[in-house]
Structure formats: structure tokens, C-alpha cells
């Protein structure tokens, strides 16, 4: 049993989100800092897409009644267990009756993640449209479709058998007052005055307090349109920078509307989503344009860090050929891992050193 | 790839490193929208690796994908290659969902004002609104809200000057050249001409939305409040099934 003595600010259950339903107008949702979220789960021996708690600025006070593994990642909100400061980004073991609390915002990010072995569950925790993520405006998912309140009680599932703990992430990210955010131009760069992209990449923008899980609203020099701010409503992506009529950019995040009618000047790269999730109101950011190849390289580096961590505790898939264990790598020399599985059947190319053979592989639970 | 919309179709506008906007045209037309839905169906059948989801809107769609598994260039090439493979797709895949609707009275408080603004009788407005099959161009704004096209120009009318703070769930409304149904109670400035007792969107249903992009909706007038109440009660118990043609 996990008692939420104090809920903290906007503490919600989140997982990887509910992709697949945007065509019905349902936002993607999910942990804003996807890297921190996945890392937290790996550190407690969970499959990566296991529900965690996301808190903003002030973490919750949580009392545990079992001996379990926990991990805290993302923003440093000053975690301690029974009054003793504890490390972030590593496996922690808590004993029955111990209490986790947070001192609050320390200047290093705003969103902290708490994972526990087995994940958060129990009565009131709903999987809706394939996801446990809480979508507060729609009042569904997570715990009764809402942020946690003081006195709520959650439960934990069963942790990974054989998990021995003792993991920590090398070189964990930290977040500051002046973040550099990398972007790719478009999709509608041609709907802006030529000066606009120059303004965006040379000026500094301030993160306003009017930012939430839907979007990060910025204050700074106005970005001018050529023929007005409206387009026929089209799709949005995480990190897209839309510019309404007032010329002030808004970076759209996980709870964004699935469609929108404002021009979009540029899009933040996937590898910088964590930075977006951790932007402090009042801090300033600058933008730098990079190209697709560089963006994918940066993403690959981030993936490598998580794969290295999950490998330590054996979460990669095991393939056997005639009973012999083999490593299976994808086109990018990544070891194929559990989190890669979105489909249940794959065409696997097996090379015997002379020629390639294609084998269809069906994967079941 | 210069991050800009282009004037030939399909147009490609990358939206960051993990999403690609594919543009089929630049106006609101049922032909362009049909093309969008058809191409999405083809892509879904192709089962390309790394595709996370595809989100259609009026004249474009966005492919969300994993760029480590599938390159942006490769994806663009693949979409180009299947662009013309959707011939004769339309006839076999179209669904028309019949939405029972009680027009007027407290369910459609703006029906009288629409009648006045359009110089038509209430009966004529109902007749015109319910005789068209409306294409579901896309869903958005809020979960399950359908953007419908094809409203007869005879009943086009402006939005309310002051939007309502709360529009009841199921309200059937019109605004300018658009018509739609409010799936959940929300603020809104469209003119309410009726209300359906069926639950358009329920996050806990196996198919959360009654309609999906590319479907057609036909509003079928209910004769009486009793009929409305009857369907409302059946819907609440999950026992009412809409007719699909």
C-alpha cells in the first residue's frame, strides 16, 4: 500500500501516453519528460512503459508499507526518505513504514518522476485507451482521471522477478536557467516573414508561468506572419512551435490539442523533449537550428544511455537459434530490446557470413 | 526538404525529426479529404516499421514515427510510391452512421433563430439539415468532436455573438458552413438546433468514438421527446446501438 500523505502540485499518474487515438481528437498525454520516465522504470526493474508519478515543483509525501524499490528522476525537487536526503537517478530500497518527501524546487528542473517496482496501480487507477496516463481536462486515465489528492491510496503491482537493484544512471541530465533548445525549421516556415526565423534563433525567450502540460508559452520578440496566423486546421506534434496572431510562440507539449489552426514555424527535436518538460517559469531559452541527421544522432545517443542501463539488468530480448543465444541488432547496430516491440511479427534478416536469409519471427508474450 | 509547404501534391513538410506532415491539397474539399483517408488506409495496410500513428485533418495528415527505425527520407519515398495506389478505394470502405436527433424545443434552443435568419420554416431547416450525409473530415478540438463538411448553404448562419458557457452533451449545432455534435459538455458558440441522445464519445468504450475520420454522419429526426428519452435511457445502460449503413 502506498499512502499519499500530501499530494504535492499536480501529481498525476503517467506512462508513455496513448498514441493511436489522436485521430479521435484524444491527446497523446504521457510523461512530459520521457527520458526521465523511462529511466525511472528501468532503475526499479520495471518494463519501460509502467505507470509512474509525475509531480511539478513540489513533490508528494508518500508513505510505503512494503519493502520495494523506488527511483526518483527528472527535476531535483529535494527528495529525502525519513528525513535523510537521497540520491536521484538510482535504485533506492524503501522499508515498510518509511516516508518519501520533497523539500521542493531547487533550481534544477520542475518535473520529478517517482517509479516503484511493479508500478502504481490499485482501485481507482484506470487504463483508458491502452494507457494509464492521466488526461486531466478529459477527466480520464490515471487515478480517477484526476491529479492526486492528500489521502489517496495506491497499490503496487509485482516487480520484475530476479531484479537485484543497485542501478544508477551515469551522467544524469541537469536543467538550468538558460537552456539551448535545438529545432528543425517547419512545417510552415514559408508563412512567416523572412526575419522571423532569424528573430527566433537570435533572441532570447522567457518561459511564462502560463505554461502547462498542453504547452509552454513564451514571451519575447514578436514573430511576424506573411499572410496572417491561420491555416486550415492540421495536425500537431510534441515540440511544434505554433505562433498565433500575437506573434508570441507556444511550444506544444503532450496534452496539446490534436489539431490546430495556427501556423507552425519550427519544431523542437525529440532529444530535447526533456529540456522542454523541465523549463522553469521565468527562465530564458534560446533556439538553434540543426538538421535531421544531427537530430537523429542526438536521439540515438539518448537511446543508447537507456539501452545501456536496461542491459545491465537484462531487459533486452533474448533470441535463440537452434538453442544458442544470439544478439540481434537492428540496422543501427542497436541491440533489439523489449521496448522496440510495437508489433508482434517481424522480418528478421539472418546473416551466415556468406549471404542474408530472411526469417519471419512472431513474438508472443 | 526546406520545411515549407510546397505547391505540388503530395507535399511534404517535416515537423521535427519524428513527424512528417503530408499535404494532399490546400483547401477544404471532400475529394482532397477522401484522398487523405484513402492514403492513410493504404499506409496502415503496408505496415511499415516504426510508424507510431497517423493523424488525418482536412487536407493533410501527420505521420508520427521513430526516425531511428525509419528515416525521414525513406518515409517520404515510401509515401510517394503509394500515392496513386488508392484508386477505387472509396466505394468499399464508406460507413454512414445514423445519429438520431431531436430537433428544436429545449434540445435545440437556436432552431427558431436559425429559421428566422435563413427565412425558412423550422420544418424546412430540419429537412435540409437531416437530408445530407456529412463527411467526417477529422476529429479534434476536444476528444470525439467531429469536423463535418457539406452543410447546405441555405442554412449557413453566423455563430452566436456570445458563446454559451456550457453546451450540453450531444448538442447538434451549426456555424457558418459547418455542422457538428458536441461529444461532451463544453463551452461553445455554435447555434444549437437539436440534440442526440446517443453517447458520441466514451473513453471507456472499446471504440471510444462512434465515428472515425472518413465516415459519414446522417442526422435522423426523432418524432417525440419520448423517443429521445427512451434512446437516452438505453444509451446510459449501453444497450443502444446506432444504425450503420
Amino acid at each position: 500500500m502506498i499512502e499519499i500523505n500530501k499530494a504535492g502540485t499536480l501529481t498525476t499518474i503517467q506512462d508513455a501516453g496513448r498514441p493511436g487515438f489522436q485521430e479521435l481528437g484524444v491527446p497523446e498525454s504521457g510523461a512530459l519528460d520521457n527520458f526521465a520516465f523511462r529511466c525511472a522504470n528501468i532503475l526499479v526493474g520495471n518494463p519501460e512503459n509502467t505507470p509512474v508519478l509525475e509531480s511539478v515543483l513540489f513533490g508528494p509525501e508518500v508513505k510505503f508499507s512494503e519493502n520495494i524499490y523506488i527511483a526518483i528522476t527528472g527535476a531535483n525537487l529535494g527528495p529525502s526518505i525519513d528525513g535523510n536526503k537521497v540520491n536521484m537517478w538510482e535504485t533506492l530500497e524503501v522499508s515498510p513504514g518509511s516516508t518519501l518527501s520533497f523539500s521542493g524546487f531547487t533550481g534544477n528542473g520542475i518535473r520529478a518522476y517517482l517509479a516503484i517496482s511493479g508500478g502504481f496501480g490499485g482501485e481507482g487507477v484506470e487504463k483508458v485507451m491502452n494507457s494509464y496516463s492521466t488526461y486531466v481536462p478529459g477527466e480520464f486515465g490515471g487515478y480517477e482521471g484526476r491529479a492526486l489528492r492528500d489521502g489517496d491510496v495506491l497499490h503496487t503491482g509485482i516487480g520484475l522477478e530476479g531484479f537485484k537493484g543497485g542501478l544508477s544512471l551515469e551522467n544524469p541530465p541537469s536543467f538550468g536557467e538558460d537552456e539551448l533548445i535545438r529545432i528543425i525549421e517547419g512545417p510552415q516556415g514559408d508563412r512567416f516573414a523572412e526575419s522571423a526565423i532569424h528573430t527566433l534563433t537570435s533572441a532570447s525567450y522567457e518561459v511564462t508561468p502560463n505554461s502547462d502540460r498542453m504547452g509552454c508559452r513564451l514571451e519575447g520578440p514578436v514573430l511576424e506572419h506573411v499572410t496572417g496566423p491561420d491555416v486550415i486546421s492540421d495536425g500537431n506534434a510534441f515540440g511544434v512551435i505554433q505562433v498565433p496572431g500575437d506573434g508570441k510562440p507556444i511550444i506544444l507539449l503532450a496534452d496539446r490539442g490534436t489539431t490546430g489552426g495556427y501556423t507552425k514555424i519550427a519544431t523542437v527535436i525529440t532529444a530535447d523533449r526533456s529540456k522542454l518538460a523541465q523549463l522553469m517559469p521565468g527562465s530564458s531559452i534560446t533556439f538553434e537550428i540543426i538538421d535531421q541527421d544531427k537530430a537523429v544522432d542526438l536521439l540515438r545517443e539518448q537511446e543508447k544511455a537507456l539501452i545501456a542501463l536496461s542491459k545491465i539488468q537484462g531487459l533486452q530480448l533474448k533470441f535463440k537459434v537452434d538453442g544458442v543465444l544470439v544478439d540481434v541488432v537492428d540496422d543501427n547496430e542497436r541491440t533489439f530490446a523489449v521496448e522496440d516491440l510495437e508489433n508482434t511479427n517481424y522480418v528478421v534478416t539472418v546473416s551466415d557470413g556468406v549471404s542474408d536469409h530472411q526469417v519471419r519471427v512472431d513474438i508472443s508474450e | 526538404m526546406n520545411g515549407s509547404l510546397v505547391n505540388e501534391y503530395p507535399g511534404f513538410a517535416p515537423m521535427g525529426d519524428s513527424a512528417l506532415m503530408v499535404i494532399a491539397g490546400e483547401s477544404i474539399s471532400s475529394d482532397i479529404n477522401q484522398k487523405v483517408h484513402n492514403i492513410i488506409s493504404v499506409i496502415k495496410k503496408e505496415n511499415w516499421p516504426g510508424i507510431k500513428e497517423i493523424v488525418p485533418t482536412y487536407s493533410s495528415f501527420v505521420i508520427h514515427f521513430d526516425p531511428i527505425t525509419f528515416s525521414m527520407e525513406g518515409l517520404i519515398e515510401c509515401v510517394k510510391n503509394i500515392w496513386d495506389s488508392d484508386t477505387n478505394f472509396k466505394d468499399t470502405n464508406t460507413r454512414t452512421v445514423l445519429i438520431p436527433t431531436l430537433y428544436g424545443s429545449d434540445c435545440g434552443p437556436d432552431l427558431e433563430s436559425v429559421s428566422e435568419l435563413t427565412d425558412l420554416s423550422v420544418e424546412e431547416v430540419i429537412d435540409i439539415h437531416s437530408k445530407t450525409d456529412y463527411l467526417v473530415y477529422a476529429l479534434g478540438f476536444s476528444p470525439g468532436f467531429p469536423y463535418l463538411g457539406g452543410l447546405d448553404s441555405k442554412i449557413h448562419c453566423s455563430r452566436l455573438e456570445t458563446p454559451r458557457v456550457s453546451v450540453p452533451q450531444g448538442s447538434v449545432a451549426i456555424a457558418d458552413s459547418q455542422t457538428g455534435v458536441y461529444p461532451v459538455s463544453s463551452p461553445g458558440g455554435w447555434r444549437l438546433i437539436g440534440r442526440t441522445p446517443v453517447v458520441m464519445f466514451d473513453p471507456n468504450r472499446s471504440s471510444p468514438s462512434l465515428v472515425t475520420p472518413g465516415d459519414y454522419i446522417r442526422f435522423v429526426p426523432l418524432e417525440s421527446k419520448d423517443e429521445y428519452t427512451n434512446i437516452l435511457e438505453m444509451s446510459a445502460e449501453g444497450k443502444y446501438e446506432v444504425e450503420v449503413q
Side-chain angles (χ1 to χ4, degrees):
Chain A
M1 186 169 80
I2 297 143
E3 294 167 79
I4 308 296
N5 292 343
K6 290 177 191 162
T9 318
L10 265 178
T11 299
T12 55
I13 291 180
Q14 297 292 341
D15 61 11
R18 47 178 65 84
F21 295 90
Q22 287 194 64
E23 67 167 12
L24 303 181
V26 179
E28 200 180 4
S29 299
L32 275 197
D33 186 339
N34 187 263
F35 179 85
F37 152 72
R38 291 165 67 193
C39 192
N41 273 323
I42 295 169
L43 290 170
V44 298
N46 287 340
E48 279 186 26
N49 189 9
T50 301
V52 303
L53 296 189
E54 177 185 276
S55 305
V56 189
L57 291 168
F58 299 94
E61 186 183 299
V62 182
K63 189 177 176 192
F64 300 97
S65 64
E66 288 136 289
N67 192 315
I68 51 168
Y69 293 113
I70 70 166
I72 303 144
T73 62
N76 185 349
L77 302 184
S80 58
I81 293 177
D82 296 332
N84 303 311
K85 278 189 180 177
V86 291
N87 287 340
M88 294 180 55
W89 305 98
E90 68 175 43
T91 315
L92 304 171
E93 203 172 341
V94 294
S95 46
S98 55
T99 301
L100 169 72
S101 60
F102 293 85
S103 59
F105 179 67
T106 64
N108 178 357
I110 62 166
R111 288 191 170 86
Y113 294 85
L114 170 65
I116 60 170
S117 46
F120 291 94
E123 206 177 319
V125 179
E126 311 167 317
K127 189 172 193 177
V128 177
M129 288 176 263
N130 299 337
S131 168
Y132 287 101
S133 288
T134 314
Y135 175 55
V136 174
E139 298 173 6
F140 58 78
Y143 190 80
E144 297 178 351
R146 61 168 171 83
L148 295 182
R149 294 178 195 143
D150 298 356
D152 284 340
V153 174
L154 300 170
H155 289 271
T156 173
I158 299 157
L160 195 74
E161 215 176 302
F163 178 69
K164 293 191 175 62
L167 299 179
S168 65
L169 179 75
E170 285 179 34
N171 306 316
S174 61
F175 310 95
E177 288 279 324
D178 301 287
E179 291 290 347
L180 174 69
I181 305 285
R182 277 79 57 93
I183 55 173
I184 291 176
E185 279 185 80
Q188 282 137 2
D190 62 344
R191 292 291 309 271
F192 291 85
E194 276 182 34
S195 61
I197 194 75
H198 177 73
T199 305
L200 183 68
T201 50
S202 56
S204 163
Y205 283 85
E206 189 183 312
V207 178
T208 71
N210 189 16
S211 298
D212 53 21
R213 287 182 44 90
M214 287 175 76
C216 180
R217 287 156 186 84
L218 303 178
E219 186 60 55
V222 165
L223 303 174
E224 276 183 43
H225 297 92
V226 182
T227 50
D230 299 335
V231 289
I232 297 170
S233 285
D234 55 18
N236 284 325
F238 195 117
V240 79
I241 304 172
Q242 76 170 25
V243 185
D246 65 4
K248 303 285 173 68
I250 303 170
I251 309 174
L252 299 183
L253 305 176
D255 282 356
R256 67 189 182 276
T258 54
T259 61
Y262 292 124
T263 41
K264 298 171 266 287
I265 188 167
T267 311
V268 176
I269 64 167
T270 307
D272 280 353
R273 285 184 188 182
S274 293
K275 288 187 190 172
L276 294 182
Q278 301 296 354
L279 290 176
M280 294 162 259
S283 69
S284 62
I285 57 174
T286 47
F287 293 102
E288 180 193 18
I289 296 176
I290 64 168
D291 65 17
Q292 173 76 14
D293 288 348
K294 174 76 175 159
V296 176
D297 283 347
L298 289 165
L299 182 61
R300 204 174 271 137
E301 268 172 42
Q302 211 171 61
E303 290 294 314
K304 270 185 191 158
L306 289 174
I307 288 164
L309 195 60
S310 60
K311 257 187 187 166
I312 299 170
Q313 49 127 341
L315 266 185
Q316 78 268 36
L317 285 176
K318 290 182 176 62
F319 288 88
K320 284 180 180 177
V321 176
D322 278 347
V324 180
L325 205 60
V326 293
D327 259 347
V328 176
V329 292
D330 67 14
D331 289 342
N332 299 296
E333 302 290 316
R334 292 194 314 172
T335 303
F336 214 64
V338 175
E339 66 272 14
D340 291 313
L341 291 181
E342 284 180 350
N343 303 315
T344 51
N345 62 75
Y346 291 87
V347 176
V348 176
T349 306
V350 182
S351 174
D352 59 12
V354 181
S355 55
D356 288 350
H357 309 276
Q358 300 220 310
V359 187
R360 181 160 283 281
V361 177
D362 286 303
I363 295 163
S364 51
E365 292 276 322
Chain B
M1 286 194 293
N2 59 4
S4 299
L5 299 182
V6 291
N7 287 321
E8 51 190 48
Y9 307 110
F12 297 97
M15 185 154 37
D17 52 57
S18 306
L20 173 67
M21 186 183 286
V22 182
I23 300 142
E26 270 164 66
S27 58
I28 297 178
S29 99
S30 58
D31 286 349
I32 293 171
N33 189 252
Q34 198 67 58
K35 179 79 185 177
V36 166
H37 299 308
N38 291 353
I39 290 294
I40 290 174
S41 301
V42 174
I43 294 175
K44 283 181 175 170
K45 278 187 189 149
E46 294 275 326
N47 203 17
W48 294 333
I51 304 293
K52 290 179 176 167
E53 71 176 312
I54 308 176
V55 186
T57 48
Y58 286 103
S59 53
S60 65
F61 58 93
V62 174
I63 305 176
H64 298 267
F65 67 102
D66 172 14
I68 293 177
T69 309
F70 202 170
S71 75
M72 182 72 82
E73 291 81 359
L75 183 57
I76 290 173
E77 272 315 301
C78 286
V79 175
K80 279 182 186 165
N81 289 338
I82 54 105
W83 194 256
D84 295 316
S85 63
D86 69 320
T87 338
N88 298 329
F89 213 89
K90 188 173 175 178
D91 300 332
T92 53
N93 280 276
T94 306
R95 283 177 4 130
T96 302
V97 181
L98 307 193
I99 304 294
T101 304
L102 185 63
Y103 286 94
S105 70
D106 56 330
C107 287
D110 300 324
L111 184 62
E112 291 285 345
S113 74
V114 170
S115 152
E116 283 162 27
L117 286 163
T118 56
D119 255 345
L120 296 164
S121 70
V122 161
E123 289 72 27
E124 285 169 322
V125 173
I126 296 172
D127 186 55
I128 291 168
H129 187 260
S130 60
K131 77 164 192 256
T132 307
D133 288 354
Y134 300 101
L135 174 63
V136 180
Y137 280 91
L139 292 100
F141 171 63
S142 64
F145 188 94
Y147 289 110
L148 304 177
L151 186 66
D152 194 310
S153 59
K154 289 201 277 291
I155 54 171
H156 287 189
C157 340
S158 60
R159 280 152 214 256
L160 294 173
E161 275 181 30
T162 311
R164 287 185 170 83
V165 176
S166 178
V167 172
Q169 171 181 323
S171 290
V172 174
I174 60 175
D176 303 321
S177 61
Q178 293 176 285
T179 182
V181 194
Y182 285 83
V184 292
S185 177
S186 64
W190 291 21
R191 289 180 195 269
L192 314 183
I193 59 172
R195 200 183 304 166
T196 179
V198 303
V199 180
M200 297 296 292
F201 184 86
D202 177 352
N204 295 305
R205 233 168 16 203
S206 60
S207 302
S209 178
L210 274 191
V211 294
T212 55
D215 287 344
Y216 284 81
I217 281 183
R218 187 186 306 154
F219 297 101
V220 180
L222 292 171
E223 297 297 329
S224 65
K225 186 84 184 193
D226 284 351
E227 214 179 341
Y228 173 91
T229 310
N230 189 22
I231 297 176
L232 191 69
E233 283 167 3
M234 286 172 73
S235 296
E237 294 166 14
K239 287 178 185 161
Y240 183 80
E241 286 202 14
V242 289
E243 195 182 335
V244 177
Q245 292 181 350

